[in-house]
Every structure is written in structure tokens, then in C-alpha cells.
Amino acid sequence: KNHQTSSNIDSGLSGDNCSLPLCSKIFFPLSKYKMPVDLLHPSAEQEASTHKLKRLVQSPNSFFMDIKCPGCFQITTVFSHAQSVVLCGSCNVMLCQPTGGRARLTEGCSYRKKVD
């Protein structure tokens, strides 16, 4: 006697002739809520902080860089995640030393990322 069909419940709550089931109207209203984050247009800092494989477009964290020797001002190209000590070619000053990830530059050295 108290049995109502889903169409009666839908029309009783919403008042429109929508073909969506009742549960989608209750939990996912079409125009009331927006996503808190725009997944298609992440900010630059969000992209930098996410894992290299989980970015919108996959890209590595490593790069090549030109390091200027503080003594003789000669420029040497070094990989950002170098796994060995890099010395200057002319004055044998240590330019960077390896760590677990990125290489640590010696104090006084300046660098710039190489462009393709």
C-alpha cells in the first residue's frame, strides 16, 4: 500500500521530468557544487610538486646546466643529478658533489639551465 515507484519519488522531490535516478540528484546536484581544484589547468607550483609520472604531461625532474667556475670563469656542462664529483677542466676546482638526488653546487658557483 505504501509502495511508490521510483518515478513517483523522482517527480515528488524534484518537480522536473529528468531521467536521472534519485540517488544522482541527491548526491550530485548538477549546478550547485564545483570541483575545489581545476584538474585540467593545474598551477605551475602544483605541477612542480607532483610526481614526474603523475603530471598532466609527464616530464623529468633532471636537466643539464652550465656551471661557471668561481676561479677561472670557465663554463662546464653538468647533469643536474650527477653521481660523481665534477672538477673544473682548467683549474681543478670542485664544481659540484653528488648527493642522493640532485648534485650540490660548490659555494660561489653559478649555474643556468641549458635550453634545448
Side-chain angles (χ1 to χ4, degrees):
K1 296 177 183 178
N2 276 338
H3 298 288
Q4 292 181 343
T5 63
S6 63
S7 63
N8 291 343
I9 294 172
D10 282 347
S11 62
L13 286 179
S14 63
D16 60 349
N17 294 329
C18 182
S19 63
L20 294 175
L22 174 65
C23 63
S24 65
K25 290 181 184 177
I26 292 173
F27 296 115
F28 305 109
L30 298 177
S31 63
K32 283 189 178 181
Y33 300 105
K34 291 185 180 179
M35 293 279 295
V37 178
D38 187 5
L39 297 176
L40 289 177
H41 303 95
S43 66
E45 63 183 29
Q46 281 179 329
E47 280 287 296
S49 66
T50 57
H51 189 269
K52 63 182 180 179
L53 296 178
K54 294 188 178 188
R55 293 182 185 140
L56 198 56
V57 176
Q58 294 179 2
S59 61
N61 294 328
S62 58
F63 53 91
F64 285 95
M65 55 187 172
D66 287 332
I67 297 179
K68 187 185 289 185
C69 177
C72 64
F73 302 108
Q74 181 179 358
I75 294 177
T76 307
T77 301
V78 179
F79 187 58
S80 63
H81 292 66
Q83 294 182 348
S84 61
V85 173
V86 178
L87 301 174
C88 178
S90 61
C91 63
N92 287 335
V93 172
M94 182 173 62
L95 298 177
C96 66
Q97 56 187 353
T99 62
R102 287 198 178 155
R104 182 181 302 128
L105 293 179
T106 305
E107 198 168 322
C109 288
S110 58
Y111 79 97
R112 68 172 182 197
K113 287 186 179 181
K114 284 194 79 98
V115 184
D116 295 334

